[in-house]
């Protein structure tokens, strides 16, 4: 094997010039990111084609390593005028391990690496995306309007915590009735455990979970079980450990814009076209090479782009062109996120609308610390949120600090993703305790039925369907120096909370760096068949089954359903389907009673019981709150009941 392989430049059409003027590029002066150079390592008929961007470097070469880390050959790269270095290693093949070295610097992993050997600091690996034999040719993803989402974390979803191990639990999810899994970020991150939001390699499935083909196998199996796969992606920041972008170029960042994690990525400044291409191609990569169906974008409010089109708008257009979904996590209640591109919006299919969760938590736990102070947890707040999608739509916050949100009540309800639990609302609690631990069994069952049957897109967090007893804690595996800062920072987060008034109490907060913090967060699947978990699981399956059996629960728009607060202090949602009419009544505290005949939303019709959260088969006491003979409701305790108009 020769020490230096033959070098070939990338095709001329893959090379572009960058507008270096200080003004933000516009749609007329900037090419779409799909036309930017494709970075990384790709197999070709000539060998392996390498490409990396380092506009401030005068020279670069690829170092190819053996399994022991020894250099077996060096491949010089040619620089174009935009700062893209390219070469073809004619002796390269799938599995080749490599790093890039610039101007006598250290050798660094490829920022566009598609797999890593050992860690994010190790050599990058050339991947053959054509080797895997897919079995999902007949797969048809469900329409976004019909999805019921199940959020999960690969590392804690099973005892083994791998892509392959997750396959074993897919029959459970299908039996539950969900039809989409949302996987927390898998872009490779430092250490053997973490949430994934400190990832640094957005093209490489985390090696701690398995190989790229292992991830493909999970997606393939999910499709076989009728489950769409939504991937959580992070384009607002990289983690602090293993982030080598600045070693290649400071132009990856725009110091004019700041985020909670530091300078924003450069989506609108000089040299931004390459950066836009690097991030913008990422969803396309996951869709084309891993058959991903959709994406959840982390903290879109922290993705800054003052140019047009916005990088997110451009990304969503590419996702939709391939038939995929896009969901935003955005704390602003900003209608621009959901509006169509024609109306000046980013055209996301949905957004996490957390007001629903916050109102239920505050109303049931009286916890009003932090951002919960903006809610009172009243039935009127909950009814308003169920009517509009989110509670805040331009009014002043309760704290009086500012106004929040914009009106979204004209949009299809599927645009708003509601939950009573997710990774943030569990894991960002000091002890990772779940909502089921803080509510009475009756209230939890009622809230569970409500989340499954509202017109909005429901999302469950792994284990909530059986009230899992395992917490979901914040865990990391950083190097000792960074880990100590994370541990201290975690405790400092809660220093102002009433329950941690003494320093000694802060010490009780689980250490994110401790292996046992991670181990405690793993689901205990043995609970599923035991009481009271089995009964609660049966309730979720029944409620989701009802949702999927009648399109009345999944309306396309604002017609055919209505929300009301009944005169006797109970919430109600009416669904007028083509074949059936339903009333979903909910009382999350109990103690209210009245006659349906007196309520406008009942329209004088006679109603019969379909499902009740306090039914004995679901773990309740059997004291159902509805008497069909008298059409009277008596909520002795918290309960949700679904009624159908008698034919």
């Amino acid at each position: 094997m020769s020490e230096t392989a033959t070098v070939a430049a990338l095709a001329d059409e893959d090379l572009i010039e960058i507008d270096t003027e200080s003004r933000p590029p516009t749609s007329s002066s900037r090419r779409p990111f799909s036309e930017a150079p494709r970075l990384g390592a790709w197999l070709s008929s000539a060998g392996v084609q390498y490409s990396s961007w380092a506009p401030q470097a005068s020279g670069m070469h690829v170092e190819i390593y053996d399994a022991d880390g020894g250099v077996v050959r060096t491949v010089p790269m040619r620089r174009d005028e935009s700062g893209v270095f390219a070469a073809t290693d004619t002796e390269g093949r799938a599995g080749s391990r490599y790093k890039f070295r610039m101007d006598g610097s250290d050798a660094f992993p490829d920022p566009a690496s598609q797999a890593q050997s050992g860690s994010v600091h190790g050599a990058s690996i050339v991947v053959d995306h054509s080797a895997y034999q897919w079995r999902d040719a007949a797969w048809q993803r469900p329409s976004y309007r019909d999805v019921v989402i199940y959020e999960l974390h690969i590392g804690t979803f099973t005892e083994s915590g791998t892509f392959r191990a997750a396959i074993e639990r897919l029959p459970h999810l299908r039996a539950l009735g969900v039809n989409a899994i949302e996987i927390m970020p898998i872009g490779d991150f430092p250490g053997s455990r973490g949430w994934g939001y400190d990832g640094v390699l957005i093209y490489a499935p985390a090696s701690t979970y398995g190989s790229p083909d292992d991830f493909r196998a999970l997606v393939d199996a999910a499709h076989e079980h009728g489950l769409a796969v939504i991937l959580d992606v992070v384009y607002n920041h990289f983690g602090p450990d293993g982030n080598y972008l600045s070693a290649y170029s400071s132009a990856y960042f725009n110091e004019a814009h700041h985020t909670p994690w530091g300078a924003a990525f450069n989506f609108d400044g000089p040299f931004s076209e390459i950066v836009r291409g690097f991030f913008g191609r990422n969803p396309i990569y996951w869709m084309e090479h891993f058959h991903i169906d959709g994406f959840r974008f982390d903290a879109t409010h922290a993705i800054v782009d003052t140019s047009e089109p916005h990088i997110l708008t451009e990304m969503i257009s590419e996702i939709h062109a391939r038939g995929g979904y896009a969901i935003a996590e955005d704390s602003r209640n900003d209608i621009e996120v959901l509006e169509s591109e024609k109306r000046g919006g980013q055209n996301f299919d949905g957004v996490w609308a957390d007001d629903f969760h916050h109102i239920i938590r505050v109303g049931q736990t009286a916890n009003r610390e932090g951002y919960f102070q903006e809610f009172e947890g009243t039935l009127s707040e909950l009814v308003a949120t169920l009517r509009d999608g989110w509670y805040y739509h331009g009014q002043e916050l309760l704290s009086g600090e500012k106004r929040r949100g914009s009106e979204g009540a004209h949009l299809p309800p599927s645009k708003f993703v509601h939950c009573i639990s997710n990774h943030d609302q569990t894991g960002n609690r000091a002890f990772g305790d779940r909502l089921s631990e803080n509510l009475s069994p009756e209230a939890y069952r009622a809230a569970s039925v409500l989340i499954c049957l509202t017109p909005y897109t429901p999302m469950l967090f792994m284990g909530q369907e059986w009230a899992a007893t395992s917490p979901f804690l914040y865990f990391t595996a950083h190097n000792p120096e960074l880990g100590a800062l994370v541990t201290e920072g975690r405790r400092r987060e809660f220093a102002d909370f009433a329950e941690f008034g003494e320093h000694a109490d802060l010490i009780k907060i689980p250490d994110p760096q401790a292996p046992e913090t991670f181990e405690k967060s793993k689901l205990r699947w043995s609970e599923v068949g035991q009481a009271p978990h089995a009964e609660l699981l049966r309730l979720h399956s029944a409620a989701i089954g009802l949702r999927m059996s009648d399109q009345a629960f999944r309306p396309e728009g604002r017609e055919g359903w209505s929300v009301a607060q009944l005169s006797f202090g109970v919430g109600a949602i009416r669904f007028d389907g083509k074949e059936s009419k339903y009333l979903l009544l909910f009382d999350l505290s109990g103690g209210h009673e009245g006659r349906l005949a007196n309520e406008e939303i009942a329209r004088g019709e006679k109603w019969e019981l379909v499902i009740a959260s306090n039914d004995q088969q679901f773990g309740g006491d059997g004291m159902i709150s509805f008497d069909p003979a008298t059409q009277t409701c008596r909520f002795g305790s918290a309960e949700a009941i679904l009624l159908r108009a008698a034919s």
Side-chain angles (χ1 to χ4, degrees), residues 12 88 96 105 187 283-284 314-315 388 410 437 459 476 590:
D12 291 341
T88 296
S96 291
S105 70
I284 301 172
E314 204 172 348
M315 282 183 171
D388 297 338
H410 62 289
E437 297 179 56
M459 185 179 75
T476 57

Side-chain angles (χ1 to χ4, degrees), residues 156 208 213 327 481 567 606-607 630 645:
T156 54
T208 190
D213 279 353
I327 300 169
E481 181 179 357
S567 62
K606 187 173 183 179
W607 300 90
T630 62

Side-chain angles (χ1 to χ4, degrees), residues 6 11 28 54 65 80 92 117 157 191 209 255 298 316 318 329 422 459 475-476 483 501 519 536 557 561 584:
T6 304
S28 61
Y65 306 100
D80 83 324
S117 56
F157 185 55
Y209 300 148
E255 294 289 345
D298 180 66
I316 305 313
E318 294 287 346
E329 181 208 21
N422 62 38
M459 185 179 75
F475 44 82
T476 57
E519 294 298 327
L536 188 60
W561 62 281
L584 176 61

Side-chain angles (χ1 to χ4, degrees), residues 550-565:
D550 197 323
Q551 289 191 357
F553 299 111
R554 312 188 308 279
E556 292 185 0
R558 291 286 167 171
E559 301 298 322
W561 62 281
S562 58
V563 183
Q565 180 172 333

Side-chain angles (χ1 to χ4, degrees), residues 327-614:
I327 300 169
E329 181 208 21
D330 199 295
S331 63
R332 298 170 295 182
N333 287 14
D334 187 353
I335 198 64
E336 181 181 335
V337 174
L338 298 173
E339 287 281 22
S340 67
E341 190 173 351
K342 289 182 180 179
R343 296 177 63 121
Q346 294 169 354
N347 204 23
F348 275 93
D349 296 284
V351 65
W352 277 23
D354 284 349
D355 288 3
F356 179 82
H357 164 274
H358 299 345
I359 290 166
I360 287 182
R361 181 177 283 278
V362 170
Q364 294 299 305
T365 67
N367 175 9
R368 297 193 63 197
E369 294 189 286
Y371 48 74
F372 292 136
Q373 69 181 304
E374 307 300 349
F375 302 91
E376 295 178 323
T378 62
L379 176 62
S380 61
E381 282 183 339
L382 185 55
V383 167
T385 302
L386 286 169
R387 184 181 294 121
D388 297 338
W390 47 41
Y391 180 69
Y392 279 104
H393 49 83
Q395 66 268 49
E396 192 175 84
L397 295 172
L398 288 180
S399 59
E401 294 181 6
K402 58 182 178 180
R403 295 185 180 275
R404 174 176 176 243
S406 49
E407 182 60 61
H410 62 289
L411 292 173
S414 61
K415 290 272 190 179
F416 301 86
V417 179
H418 284 184
C419 73
I420 58 172
S421 181
N422 62 38
H423 75 270
D424 274 332
Q425 302 306 332
T426 306
N428 283 334
R429 294 178 61 78
F431 298 103
D433 48 307
R434 295 170 176 267
L435 187 65
S436 54
E437 297 179 56
N438 296 287
L439 270 61
S440 69
E442 294 80 12
Y444 188 70
R445 287 194 300 269
S448 297
V449 169
L450 182 60
I451 190 64
C452 291
L453 290 176
T454 75
Y456 300 96
T457 299
M459 185 179 75
L460 282 64
F461 181 58
M462 61 176 196
Q464 82 171 67
E465 71 273 23
W466 78 79
T469 62
S470 53
F472 185 72
L473 295 157
Y474 181 62
F475 44 82
T476 57
H478 289 301
N479 62 65
E481 181 179 357
L482 178 58
L485 296 175
V486 169
T487 299
E488 179 58 31
R490 178 68 171 172
R491 289 169 177 163
R492 192 165 54 246
E493 283 181 39
F494 297 98
D496 294 331
F497 284 66
E499 65 178 303
F500 301 109
E502 300 294 331
H503 179 69
D505 293 329
L506 290 174
I507 300 298
K508 297 176 183 178
I509 296 175
D511 182 358
Q513 285 285 104
E516 57 266 27
T517 301
F518 171 63
E519 294 298 327
K520 288 178 181 177
S521 299
K522 294 188 176 186
L523 291 178
R524 299 163 187 157
W525 284 93
S526 60
E527 296 176 339
V528 171
Q530 303 170 0
H533 307 289
E535 290 79 4
L536 188 60
L537 177 59
R538 188 179 300 123
L539 174 64
H540 279 85
S541 182
I544 294 172
L546 283 166
R547 179 185 189 87
M548 303 308 293
S549 69
D550 197 323
Q551 289 191 357
F553 299 111
R554 312 188 308 279
E556 292 185 0
R558 291 286 167 171
E559 301 298 322
W561 62 281
S562 58
V563 183
Q565 180 172 333
L566 304 188
S567 62
F568 54 94
V570 169
I573 307 176
R574 180 183 173 110
F575 302 91
D576 289 299
K578 292 181 179 180
E579 298 182 1
S580 299
K581 301 173 184 178
Y582 300 93
L583 268 182
L584 176 61
L585 306 181
F586 55 93
D587 182 355
L588 300 184
S589 59
H592 300 91
E593 63 177 83
R595 294 190 68 236
L596 283 181
N598 300 331
E599 304 300 326
E600 181 180 350
I601 199 169
R603 300 178 191 172
E605 292 166 312
K606 187 173 183 179
W607 300 90
E608 57 189 19
L609 182 68
V610 178
I611 189 174
S613 61
N614 284 342

